[in-house]
Amino acid sequence: MAVLVRYGMVGGGSGAFIGQVHRNAIAIDPRVRLVAGAFSTHADKNNAVADLYSLDNDRVYSSYQEMAEKESQRPDGIDFVSITTPNSTHYDVAKCFLEHGIHVVCEKPLCFTVEQAEELVRLTKEKNLIFAVTYTYPGYAMCKVMKEMIAEGKIGKIAAVNAEYVQDWLLDELSSGDYSPNLSVWRTDPAKSGISNCVGDIGTHIEHTVHYLTGLNIKRLCATVNRFGKPLDLNANMLVEYEGGINGAYWCSQIAAGKLNGLAVRIYGSEGSLEWEQHYPDYVRYTPKGGATQLLSRGTGYITEKAASVSRLPSGHPEGLTMAFANIYKNVVDALVKLKAGGTVEPGEFDYATVEDGLAGVKFVKAVVESGDHDSRWVNL
Amino acid sequence: MAVLVRYGMVGGGSGAFIGQVHRNAIAIDPRVRLVAGAFSTHADKNNAVADLYSLDNDRVYSSYQEMAEKESQRPDGIDFVSITTPNSTHYDVAKCFLEHGIHVVCEKPLCFTVEQAEELVRLTKEKNLIFAVTYTYPGYAMCKVMKEMIAEGKIGKIAAVNAEYVQDWLLDELSSGDYSPNLSVWRTDPAKSGISNCVGDIGTHIEHTVHYLTGLNIKRLCATVNRFGKPLDLNANMLVEYEGGINGAYWCSQIAAGKLNGLAVRIYGSEGSLEWEQHYPDYVRYTPKGGATQLLSRGTGYITEKAASVSRLPSGHPEGLTMAFANIYKNVVDALVKLKAGGTVEPGEFDYATVEDGLAGVKFVKAVVESGDHDSRWVNL
Amino acid sequence: MAVLVRYGMVGGGSGAFIGQVHRNAIAIDPRVRLVAGAFSTHADKNNAVADLYSLDNDRVYSSYQEMAEKESQRPDGIDFVSITTPNSTHYDVAKCFLEHGIHVVCEKPLCFTVEQAEELVRLTKEKNLIFAVTYTYPGYAMCKVMKEMIAEGKIGKIAAVNAEYVQDWLLDELSSGDYSPNLSVWRTDPAKSGISNCVGDIGTHIEHTVHYLTGLNIKRLCATVNRFGKPLDLNANMLVEYEGGINGAYWCSQIAAGKLNGLAVRIYGSEGSLEWEQHYPDYVRYTPKGGATQLLSRGTGYITEKAASVSRLPSGHPEGLTMAFANIYKNVVDALVKLKAGGTVEPGEFDYATVEDGLAGVKFVKAVVESGDHDSRWVNL
Amino acid sequence: MAVLVRYGMVGGGSGAFIGQVHRNAIAIDPRVRLVAGAFSTHADKNNAVADLYSLDNDRVYSSYQEMAEKESQRPDGIDFVSITTPNSTHYDVAKCFLEHGIHVVCEKPLCFTVEQAEELVRLTKEKNLIFAVTYTYPGYAMCKVMKEMIAEGKIGKIAAVNAEYVQDWLLDELSSGDYSPNLSVWRTDPAKSGISNCVGDIGTHIEHTVHYLTGLNIKRLCATVNRFGKPLDLNANMLVEYEGGINGAYWCSQIAAGKLNGLAVRIYGSEGSLEWEQHYPDYVRYTPKGGATQLLSRGTGYITEKAASVSRLPSGHPEGLTMAFANIYKNVVDALVKLKAGGTVEPGEFDYATVEDGLAGVKFVKAVVESGDHDSRWVNL
């Protein structure tokens, strides 16, 4: 009998989008089972999910605190918790489970302040736990291909980075006279989203994805941040300086008509370039210096073996976002299986974003907002 | 407690690609559980899957016959079987489970001969069972959008169809002097693939997808079939005449360098056109007569509600092939849940390809091969 | 002082589209000058062009016959005539100029019947003249790149061809109840267009472009031809067999909503493939067997020198259709300059479509219509 | 007899690329004739062009000063001069012809310093002459379509701009140890290119194209400028603030592998967006708020009449860069014809970039370099 990894979820009640995506991504891994949850503070939404997954009644909790406490005491308690609640609660929930000695997988942004993030980093180390942040996009197989190609020197020394994450789902904000609570309210409400909407929600994906691919750390940045009369940002442009004096530029927006989920990362080096667009995640445009642009595809013979290992379908059969999430969870579960079998897990041994990566994201958001609020001055990270 | 639908699988042993895709697609539906299997005639491959899914020992079978018999006698026996064995065995396996009163989901092509297919149709009706054939591509949300748009008259009366399914994974066959057993051997071996390789394997997807989208039935066709000195076809072109005198052209190939899994369907009517390419399944190109071409996207506000109901992610978040499979299984499971709750299922009530669609595919293959072997004469279906 | 090549034009009166394109294409070559014309049977349209180009009054003719006679007698008479009249008159005009010993450049289709075409071939040989047919598309630099790559064996032995030329400008014909004279009337009027509209107008471009690129000659073909109740064809599909038993499929249409000028040619061989689409003429998709698809661009270092010689702009600066026409004329003028300098021109020495290529096009149209009218039987060319 | 507009050229000797493009673009307009030139200081290169265009011997000049003087004294002297010399000489040449009362068309960048540019503006006004700067890209028909759509409010109030112009032809500079004279030497040599290479050469095209499309003027900007150890910039990123507080971001580079001539302009407003990429100049991506992205094409029925007036080919027949140049010259010649017929030309009456636009470009370059050299501080324009 294979090792069974048990997990519980906080958030993701009936009707919540991202919680279901997490459950779907985990579900394809037969080593893992959902056994507990505090899916919603609304009892009906909580029970609806519990019923759907046939959970035992005594493991459906009305509060995450209760869940952390009771599960930590059971011999068959959850191995990890998946946190998919609104951003404002990530810190409290994650802290609680860490304190009860339970591994954590948490949606991004990790939390609202650098102090909170540092506390979570500290606690994770102290408790010697796994803490993964679900920065989705490095989960795609082709991001892993790019990372390897860059590490192997295929594009030489990096000379320029241009990346963007643009959407249009808050475009209506531009024409609404006053700040009005609408579907997007929690996104643009500082009480629920912290100091930033757009930069926190999607700008952080740029920051992390570029870091994941290139290993570059941002030294400082300057930014223009556009709120268009709303409490929080809807659009921002950044000039970035990485360690080593390399420059890049980032753009994030939620008011760019026609842009659905437009994360595009383009890395230019002395020997070639790599370009990737999330809308077509199975493909990478690779141009070696002096040669023609090549359209690399997941699942082909010319792709590295390591990348192939996180690829579940043959080339030309699109994998999609759920599989990117599944790859993150697969790596977390690989680590947990090793731990449960008595092994140890070294930093960087398994490929998922850590609580330190989450901290980097929080610092990034703080710096962008600070620069935007101070006439685009350079802010060190 | 929600209704639990139990299933078993024949085929899909450790290392088999398509069986795992089926299991993944089913896994995201918490109403269903894998409880039995005859995954492989190799005991180790059989047990590896059983272990991975923590199956009870007594429900891991060394033969599908034993599985059909024993499961049909258990009170908690499987509700349906998923058949993912090589094509040559579909008929025998499906027949066996039907005879034991177990619902069937079977990979395409349904079987090798029209007689076999007609027997499965007969048996399915006699036993009043559900028989779904996993023609994958109509499972994509945007195919459902196109089907609805065509039904609503958005492109008017259909005037021309052009469709192709092109790959390159058998390109090496062109340069290998003699027929040599290689990775693809069962595909090009008549004993394992029947009268056709390429037309059966992928040509049938063209036939079914066009039929699904448009409702058009092929009246007759003529074809050139290229075997390049091998036992079975690697490339074929078809002129098609649908009922009503409309014409179309199909091309399928497995020797087209650079083509990964290039199913492309293009439908032209008196009032507009629709074009879809499997590599980018979340998008449809729609041109209303006299207007600009529009890039329709899954998950947007302008897409029909019915299509939205089979869409699991927001626009711009690619869904991928596994979700297309998941949609097929979702519809089958919806039907089974209704049956288990004492309801009845009407023909066409749930959206999946039936055993009759499987029969149409077998007739199509037969006609193409016959035309190709008789100097491209018209062959009626 | 450089040699001056003088030309006259028949057709292309004020308001005529294609005549102006020819004049523009020629104009960029400073070796050539427009000195005579019978642009229109309408005196005002005739004079408007003559005035625009500052022609001498005595070289503006009211009939092509008069022009042929008078120009052939002048010491500074035209070296060649460019014929851009409606298709129905090509034969008579071309014949007349040939008989007067004047070189001919003629729009396609060459003429209406095989007999006419053979007469033009005969006369061209007898008079030892240059006769170029303006099949536009091989004029593009990247078509020359593809031709060279194929000749060099870059894609190995050709195994499959798929080509189409699709437009939508006659889509209204599908909904017009009866045959009605409209803007397109001469296209769909047998008196002006001969036995075919769509196949003659654009299908011939497929035939010639594939022949140009590959060297393949069609041995026989079968076709479905759709007239939708009109006198002439609006859509046609063809199965093609080349010499050597290779198969291909062609589709031409003028009722395909959203298709502007969609000539797309795709050639698949044992060692790779080449794909080209006229909408983006500066690029070719090249896939070597087992490798990634490459986007080759005109003007780059990795493109052959011969192709570079017909390329006027650096890579990334689109050249467009006028330059394709210009390349045809450049090659014709190169030949004329050589002749005028006392040299001789060998068959195939200069790169333009000949009267024999025009004859091949007429045979192609005849075969398609004949097959379409006889239940898609094979017709030998 | 139509009015004849005579022109001369300075620069564009045999082998020079851009001069030939200008001559080709002008040549398709039968109202204009090349009658004089100082194409090169190398007599052979000068004579080669003169011979090609059959110029009179006495109008082939060895210096532009002589040409300006003598042509200004002839009754049949040139109406305008086209200046296509290296950037360092634009100022002197343009000033000379203005002083002799001859209209000027000049390549960009206009000159090196704001003082020079202001002198040219002053002189142009004083002499009441036409001075056009050949900013190429607004010459494309689809740029005119976008300009009109924006002016008509199709995308509402502009909220964000993102534009880039990226190439890779100086990528080798990154790996060459020291500054070495190579093919690109005059580009990266301050003596020949002024204070900037990349920003001056292509960054100015971004600045002008965005201004042309939107009417927005840059109020201030901050920038990172990368020289990679060379004397002049090879890459630069800019944050831009327009009048009215709107923000945008620009990126220009000549070291981005795989980028050929990648000018891409994207404008986002409260009611929709427009996106255009120079590689495919006949198409514009237009997304109305809440609707699907539309691919607008030149030459179609839904495009404005005004845009149609600068469109020479039907939709789907690519026009290319030479036609963009031709549109600029057409508008200049329209103005000159009106002047020669005794009319007057109002500012903005004809659609070409003026000497004031040239001045704006020089100011832009100065600001970018200044910001880059002062730790990316905001610099007002």
Side-chain angles (χ1 to χ4, degrees):
Chain A
M1 181 70 77
V3 170
L4 184 68
V5 174
R6 298 176 185 85
Y7 85 104
M9 179 172 277
V10 180
S14 180
F17 145 66
I18 198 69
Q20 187 61 50
V21 175
H22 282 252
R23 288 194 296 264
N24 290 349
I26 301 170
I28 70 168
D29 190 335
R31 300 173 299 174
V32 193
R33 191 165 300 164
L34 179 66
V35 296
F39 306 104
S40 176
T41 53
H42 300 278
D44 54 340
K45 292 187 176 182
N46 198 15
N47 290 331
V49 177
D51 189 47
L52 189 62
Y53 284 86
S54 309
L55 298 198
D56 291 342
N57 284 339
D58 65 339
R59 300 182 82 168
V60 188
Y61 302 98
S62 55
S63 81
Y64 70 84
Q65 294 93 338
E66 187 195 357
M67 178 172 155
E69 191 172 338
K70 296 224 171 126
E71 288 292 325
S72 67
Q73 292 165 2
R74 294 177 70 115
D76 63 347
I78 57 172
D79 294 297
F80 75 94
V81 65
S82 176
I83 304 173
T84 65
T85 51
N87 300 347
S88 59
T89 65
H90 289 177
Y91 173 68
D92 290 333
V93 180
K95 187 161 182 283
C96 177
F97 280 87
L98 288 176
E99 287 171 342
H100 283 86
I102 293 171
H103 303 289
V104 172
V105 177
C106 184
E107 257 297 326
K108 41 69 39 199
L110 178 58
C111 53
F112 281 2
T113 70
V114 172
E115 293 68 30
Q116 290 174 342
E118 288 174 339
E119 171 62 11
L120 293 179
V121 169
R122 192 196 60 73
L123 209 47
T124 301
K125 276 190 192 152
E126 178 187 302
K127 297 285 187 172
N128 198 25
L129 291 168
I130 284 173
F131 194 124
V133 182
T134 49
Y135 283 110
T136 324
Y137 302 107
Y140 278 118
M142 289 313 280
C143 281
K144 300 186 187 303
V145 169
M146 287 191 285
K147 183 187 176 73
E148 284 190 85
M149 289 178 72
I150 290 171
E152 288 166 7
K154 285 277 168 59
I155 63 167
K157 186 177 179 322
I158 293 173
V161 175
N162 188 286
E164 68 187 36
Y165 195 153
V166 282
Q167 303 178 326
D168 69 1
W169 68 290
L170 289 177
L171 181 53
D172 277 337
E173 298 287 315
L174 292 192
S175 26
S176 64
D178 301 308
Y179 177 67
S180 57
N182 61 6
L183 274 180
S184 65
V185 66
W186 78 261
R187 290 286 188 193
T188 55
D189 178 352
K192 301 220 172 92
S193 289
I195 59 170
S196 167
N197 160 47
C198 176
V199 176
D201 189 23
I202 59 178
T204 47
H205 278 297
I206 305 176
E207 179 270 326
H208 179 69
T209 306
V210 172
H211 168 72
Y212 176 82
L213 296 177
T214 65
L216 291 172
N217 293 303
I218 298 175
K219 186 181 158 197
R220 59 177 191 162
L221 59 78
C222 65
T224 56
V225 174
N226 305 109
R227 299 193 178 94
F228 302 102
K230 306 296 169 184
L232 292 180
D233 52 300
L234 297 166
N235 187 78
N237 284 292
M238 290 142 257
L239 300 183
V240 170
E241 183 181 319
Y242 306 99
E243 289 169 359
I246 299 161
N247 284 117
Y250 296 170
W251 174 38
C252 60
S253 183
Q254 292 174 324
I255 51 98
K259 297 312 198 185
L260 302 174
N261 196 43
L263 173 61
V265 180
R266 301 183 290 170
I267 318 286
Y268 301 91
S270 58
E271 301 300 322
S273 68
L274 288 167
E275 303 180 327
W276 179 77
E277 194 189 345
Q278 195 268 156
H279 286 156
Y280 310 109
D282 287 330
Y283 304 94
V284 163
R285 287 169 66 96
Y286 163 56
T287 309
K289 186 169 75 167
T293 296
Q294 300 177 16
L295 193 65
L296 305 184
S297 165
R298 187 187 53 69
T300 49
Y302 51 79
I303 295 298
T304 59
E305 268 186 60
K306 192 173 167 189
S309 76
V310 290
S311 179
R312 291 174 179 80
L313 295 170
S315 67
H317 298 70
E319 285 208 325
L321 188 91
T322 307
M323 295 305 127
F325 266 106
N327 284 334
I328 296 170
Y329 276 105
K330 176 193 178 295
N331 291 331
V332 170
V333 171
D334 284 351
L336 291 173
V337 165
K338 189 175 181 196
L339 285 180
K340 291 186 70 139
T344 55
V345 169
E346 300 303 316
E349 182 179 353
F350 294 92
D351 184 5
Y352 50 79
T354 65
V355 68
E356 285 86 359
D357 292 315
L359 167 60
V362 175
K363 287 181 176 173
F364 171 79
V365 175
K366 187 187 173 201
V368 174
V369 172
E370 183 180 327
S371 178
D373 286 347
H374 293 82
D375 205 31
S376 311
R377 74 178 179 203
W378 283 111
V379 175
N380 292 319
L381 263 79
Chain B
M1 179 70 76
V3 171
L4 184 70
V5 174
R6 298 175 185 88
Y7 85 103
M9 180 172 277
V10 180
S14 181
F17 145 64
I18 199 67
Q20 188 60 51
V21 174
H22 282 252
R23 287 193 297 263
N24 289 350
I26 301 170
I28 70 167
D29 190 335
R31 301 173 299 174
V32 193
R33 191 164 301 162
L34 178 65
V35 296
F39 305 105
S40 175
T41 51
H42 298 277
D44 55 340
K45 293 188 176 182
N46 198 15
N47 289 332
V49 177
D51 190 48
L52 189 63
Y53 284 85
S54 308
L55 296 200
D56 291 342
N57 284 339
D58 64 338
R59 300 182 82 168
V60 188
Y61 302 98
S62 56
S63 81
Y64 69 85
Q65 294 93 337
E66 185 193 357
M67 176 173 158
E69 190 172 338
K70 295 224 173 127
E71 287 293 324
S72 67
Q73 290 164 3
R74 292 178 71 115
D76 64 349
I78 57 173
D79 293 298
F80 75 93
V81 67
S82 177
I83 303 172
T84 64
T85 50
N87 300 348
S88 59
T89 65
H90 289 177
Y91 173 69
D92 290 332
V93 179
K95 187 160 181 282
C96 176
F97 280 86
L98 288 176
E99 286 169 345
H100 284 86
I102 294 172
H103 303 290
V104 171
V105 177
C106 184
E107 257 296 329
K108 43 74 24 204
L110 177 59
C111 52
F112 281 1
T113 70
V114 172
E115 292 68 32
Q116 289 174 340
E118 286 174 340
E119 171 63 10
L120 293 178
V121 169
R122 194 194 60 72
L123 208 49
T124 301
K125 276 188 191 154
E126 179 188 301
K127 296 285 188 172
N128 197 26
L129 291 166
I130 285 173
F131 193 123
V133 181
T134 50
Y135 282 111
T136 324
Y137 302 106
Y140 278 118
M142 290 311 280
C143 280
K144 299 186 188 302
V145 169
M146 287 192 283
K147 181 188 178 72
E148 284 191 84
M149 289 179 71
I150 291 171
E152 289 165 6
K154 284 277 168 59
I155 62 167
K157 186 174 180 325
I158 293 172
V161 174
N162 188 286
E164 67 187 41
Y165 195 152
V166 281
Q167 304 177 324
D168 69 1
W169 67 290
L170 290 177
L171 180 53
D172 276 337
E173 299 286 317
L174 293 192
S175 25
S176 64
D178 299 307
Y179 177 68
S180 57
N182 63 4
L183 274 179
S184 65
V185 65
W186 76 261
R187 290 286 189 195
T188 53
D189 177 350
K192 300 221 172 93
S193 288
I195 59 171
S196 167
N197 160 47
C198 176
V199 176
D201 188 23
I202 60 178
T204 48
H205 276 299
I206 306 176
E207 179 271 326
H208 180 68
T209 306
V210 172
H211 168 72
Y212 176 82
L213 296 175
T214 64
L216 290 172
N217 292 304
I218 297 174
K219 189 181 153 196
R220 59 178 191 160
L221 59 78
C222 65
T224 56
V225 174
N226 303 112
R227 299 195 178 94
F228 301 100
K230 305 297 169 183
L232 291 180
D233 52 301
L234 297 166
N235 186 78
N237 285 291
M238 292 142 256
L239 300 182
V240 169
E241 183 181 319
Y242 306 100
E243 288 169 1
I246 300 161
N247 283 118
Y250 296 170
W251 175 39
C252 60
S253 182
Q254 292 174 325
I255 52 99
K259 296 312 196 182
L260 302 174
N261 196 43
L263 174 61
V265 181
R266 302 185 288 171
I267 318 284
Y268 301 90
S270 57
E271 301 301 321
S273 68
L274 288 167
E275 302 179 327
W276 179 78
E277 194 189 344
Q278 196 272 152
H279 287 156
Y280 311 109
D282 287 330
Y283 303 94
V284 163
R285 288 171 66 96
Y286 164 55
T287 309
K289 186 169 77 168
T293 295
Q294 300 176 18
L295 194 64
L296 305 183
S297 164
R298 189 187 53 68
T300 51
Y302 51 79
I303 295 299
T304 60
E305 270 187 59
K306 192 173 166 190
S309 76
V310 291
S311 178
R312 290 174 180 79
L313 295 170
S315 66
H317 298 70
E319 285 210 323
L321 189 92
T322 307
M323 294 305 128
F325 265 107
N327 284 334
I328 296 170
Y329 275 106
K330 176 193 177 296
N331 291 330
V332 169
V333 170
D334 284 350
L336 290 173
V337 166
K338 189 176 179 195
L339 283 180
K340 289 185 73 140
T344 55
V345 169
E346 299 303 316
E349 182 178 352
F350 295 92
D351 185 6
Y352 50 77
T354 63
V355 67
E356 286 86 359
D357 292 316
L359 167 59
V362 175
K363 286 181 176 172
F364 172 78
V365 175
K366 186 187 172 200
V368 173
V369 173
E370 183 181 326
S371 178
D373 286 347
H374 292 82
D375 204 29
S376 310
R377 75 177 179 204
W378 285 110
V379 175
N380 292 317
L381 263 81
Chain C
M1 179 71 75
V3 171
L4 183 70
V5 174
R6 299 177 184 87
Y7 85 104
M9 180 172 278
V10 180
S14 180
F17 144 64
I18 199 69
Q20 186 61 52
V21 174
H22 282 252
R23 287 193 297 263
N24 290 349
I26 299 169
I28 70 169
D29 191 335
R31 300 173 298 173
V32 192
R33 191 165 301 162
L34 179 64
V35 297
F39 305 106
S40 175
T41 52
H42 299 277
D44 55 340
K45 293 189 176 180
N46 198 15
N47 290 329
V49 177
D51 190 49
L52 189 62
Y53 284 86
S54 309
L55 297 199
D56 291 341
N57 284 340
D58 65 336
R59 300 182 82 169
V60 189
Y61 302 97
S62 55
S63 81
Y64 68 85
Q65 294 93 337
E66 186 194 355
M67 175 172 159
E69 191 172 337
K70 295 223 172 127
E71 290 291 327
S72 68
Q73 292 165 1
R74 294 178 70 114
D76 63 348
I78 58 174
D79 293 299
F80 74 92
V81 65
S82 177
I83 303 173
T84 66
T85 51
N87 300 347
S88 59
T89 65
H90 289 176
Y91 173 67
D92 290 332
V93 180
K95 188 160 180 281
C96 177
F97 280 86
L98 288 177
E99 286 171 346
H100 283 86
I102 294 172
H103 303 290
V104 171
V105 177
C106 183
E107 257 297 327
K108 43 64 43 198
L110 178 59
C111 52
F112 280 2
T113 69
V114 172
E115 291 70 29
Q116 290 174 340
E118 288 174 339
E119 171 61 11
L120 293 178
V121 169
R122 193 195 60 74
L123 208 47
T124 302
K125 276 190 193 152
E126 179 189 301
K127 296 284 187 171
N128 198 25
L129 292 167
I130 285 174
F131 194 124
V133 181
T134 50
Y135 282 110
T136 324
Y137 302 106
Y140 279 119
M142 290 310 280
C143 279
K144 299 187 189 301
V145 170
M146 287 192 285
K147 181 187 177 72
E148 285 190 84
M149 290 178 72
I150 291 171
E152 288 165 7
K154 285 279 167 57
I155 63 167
K157 187 177 179 321
I158 293 173
V161 175
N162 190 287
E164 68 188 37
Y165 195 152
V166 282
Q167 305 178 325
D168 69 1
W169 68 290
L170 290 177
L171 181 52
D172 277 337
E173 299 286 316
L174 292 191
S175 23
S176 64
D178 299 308
Y179 176 66
S180 56
N182 62 6
L183 274 179
S184 64
V185 64
W186 77 260
R187 290 287 190 194
T188 55
D189 177 352
K192 300 222 172 91
S193 288
I195 59 171
S196 166
N197 161 47
C198 177
V199 176
D201 188 25
I202 58 178
T204 48
H205 277 298
I206 306 176
E207 180 271 326
H208 179 69
T209 306
V210 171
H211 168 71
Y212 176 82
L213 295 175
T214 63
L216 290 173
N217 294 302
I218 299 175
K219 187 179 155 199
R220 58 178 191 160
L221 57 79
C222 65
T224 55
V225 174
N226 304 110
R227 300 193 178 97
F228 300 103
K230 305 297 170 187
L232 292 181
D233 52 301
L234 297 166
N235 186 79
N237 284 293
M238 290 141 257
L239 300 183
V240 169
E241 183 181 320
Y242 306 100
E243 288 169 1
I246 299 161
N247 282 118
Y250 295 170
W251 174 38
C252 61
S253 183
Q254 292 174 324
I255 52 99
K259 295 313 196 183
L260 303 175
N261 196 42
L263 174 62
V265 180
R266 303 185 288 172
I267 317 285
Y268 301 91
S270 58
E271 300 301 322
S273 67
L274 288 166
E275 302 179 328
W276 180 77
E277 194 189 345
Q278 193 271 154
H279 286 157
Y280 311 110
D282 287 329
Y283 304 94
V284 162
R285 288 170 66 95
Y286 164 55
T287 310
K289 186 170 77 166
T293 297
Q294 300 177 18
L295 194 64
L296 306 184
S297 165
R298 189 188 53 69
T300 50
Y302 51 80
I303 295 299
T304 59
E305 268 187 59
K306 191 172 166 189
S309 75
V310 291
S311 178
R312 291 174 179 79
L313 295 170
S315 67
H317 298 71
E319 286 209 325
L321 188 90
T322 307
M323 294 305 128
F325 265 106
N327 284 333
I328 296 171
Y329 276 106
K330 176 191 179 296
N331 291 331
V332 169
V333 171
D334 284 350
L336 290 173
V337 165
K338 190 176 179 195
L339 284 181
K340 289 184 72 136
T344 55
V345 170
E346 299 303 315
E349 181 178 352
F350 293 92
D351 186 5
Y352 51 78
T354 63
V355 67
E356 285 87 0
D357 292 316
L359 167 60
V362 174
K363 285 182 178 173
F364 172 77
V365 175
K366 186 186 172 200
V368 173
V369 173
E370 182 180 327
S371 179
D373 286 346
H374 291 84
D375 205 29
S376 311
R377 74 178 179 204
W378 284 110
V379 174
N380 292 319
L381 263 79
Chain D
M1 180 72 75
V3 171
L4 184 71
V5 174
R6 297 175 185 86
Y7 85 103
M9 180 171 277
V10 180
S14 181
F17 145 63
I18 199 68
Q20 186 62 49
V21 174
H22 282 251
R23 288 193 296 263
N24 290 348
I26 300 170
I28 71 167
D29 191 336
R31 301 174 298 174
V32 193
R33 192 164 301 164
L34 178 66
V35 297
F39 305 106
S40 176
T41 51
H42 299 278
D44 55 340
K45 291 188 177 181
N46 198 15
N47 290 330
V49 177
D51 190 48
L52 189 61
Y53 284 86
S54 309
L55 297 198
D56 290 343
N57 283 340
D58 64 338
R59 301 182 81 170
V60 188
Y61 303 97
S62 55
S63 81
Y64 69 85
Q65 294 94 337
E66 186 195 358
M67 176 172 156
E69 192 175 334
K70 296 226 171 125
E71 288 293 324
S72 67
Q73 292 164 1
R74 293 178 69 114
D76 64 346
I78 57 173
D79 294 298
F80 75 93
V81 65
S82 177
I83 304 172
T84 64
T85 51
N87 300 347
S88 59
T89 66
H90 289 178
Y91 173 68
D92 290 332
V93 180
K95 189 160 178 284
C96 178
F97 280 86
L98 288 177
E99 287 170 344
H100 284 85
I102 294 171
H103 303 289
V104 171
V105 177
C106 183
E107 256 297 328
K108 42 66 39 196
L110 177 59
C111 51
F112 280 1
T113 72
V114 173
E115 292 68 30
Q116 291 173 341
E118 286 174 340
E119 171 62 10
L120 293 178
V121 168
R122 192 194 61 73
L123 208 48
T124 301
K125 275 191 194 152
E126 180 188 300
K127 297 283 188 173
N128 197 26
L129 291 167
I130 285 174
F131 194 124
V133 181
T134 49
Y135 283 112
T136 325
Y137 301 106
Y140 278 119
M142 289 312 279
C143 280
K144 301 187 187 299
V145 169
M146 287 192 285
K147 182 187 176 73
E148 284 191 83
M149 290 179 71
I150 290 171
E152 289 166 6
K154 285 277 168 60
I155 64 167
K157 187 177 180 321
I158 293 173
V161 175
N162 189 287
E164 67 187 40
Y165 196 152
V166 282
Q167 304 177 325
D168 68 2
W169 69 290
L170 290 177
L171 181 52
D172 276 337
E173 298 286 317
L174 292 192
S175 24
S176 63
D178 300 307
Y179 176 69
S180 56
N182 61 5
L183 274 181
S184 65
V185 66
W186 77 262
R187 291 286 189 194
T188 56
D189 178 352
K192 300 223 172 91
S193 288
I195 60 172
S196 167
N197 160 47
C198 176
V199 176
D201 188 24
I202 59 178
T204 49
H205 277 298
I206 306 176
E207 180 270 327
H208 178 70
T209 306
V210 171
H211 169 71
Y212 176 83
L213 295 177
T214 64
L216 290 172
N217 293 303
I218 297 174
K219 189 181 155 197
R220 59 177 192 161
L221 58 78
C222 66
T224 55
V225 174
N226 305 110
R227 300 196 179 93
F228 301 102
K230 305 298 169 184
L232 292 180
D233 51 301
L234 298 166
N235 186 78
N237 285 291
M238 291 142 255
L239 300 183
V240 170
E241 183 182 319
Y242 306 100
E243 289 169 0
I246 299 162
N247 283 118
Y250 296 170
W251 174 39
C252 61
S253 183
Q254 292 174 325
I255 52 97
K259 297 313 196 182
L260 302 175
N261 196 43
L263 173 61
V265 180
R266 301 184 290 170
I267 318 285
Y268 301 91
S270 58
E271 301 301 322
S273 68
L274 288 167
E275 302 178 329
W276 179 77
E277 194 190 346
Q278 195 269 155
H279 286 155
Y280 310 109
D282 288 329
Y283 303 94
V284 163
R285 287 170 67 95
Y286 164 55
T287 310
K289 185 169 77 166
T293 296
Q294 299 176 18
L295 194 65
L296 306 184
S297 165
R298 189 186 53 68
T300 51
Y302 52 79
I303 295 298
T304 60
E305 268 185 61
K306 193 172 164 188
S309 77
V310 291
S311 178
R312 291 175 179 78
L313 295 171
S315 65
H317 299 69
E319 284 209 326
L321 189 92
T322 307
M323 295 304 126
F325 266 106
N327 284 334
I328 295 171
Y329 276 105
K330 174 192 179 297
N331 291 330
V332 170
V333 170
D334 284 349
L336 291 173
V337 165
K338 191 177 177 194
L339 284 180
K340 290 185 71 138
T344 55
V345 169
E346 300 301 317
E349 182 179 351
F350 293 93
D351 185 6
Y352 50 79
T354 64
V355 68
E356 285 87 359
D357 292 317
L359 167 60
V362 175
K363 286 181 176 172
F364 171 80
V365 175
K366 185 187 174 202
V368 174
V369 172
E370 183 181 326
S371 179
D373 285 347
H374 293 83
D375 206 28
S376 312
R377 73 177 179 206
W378 283 111
V379 175
N380 291 320
L381 264 79

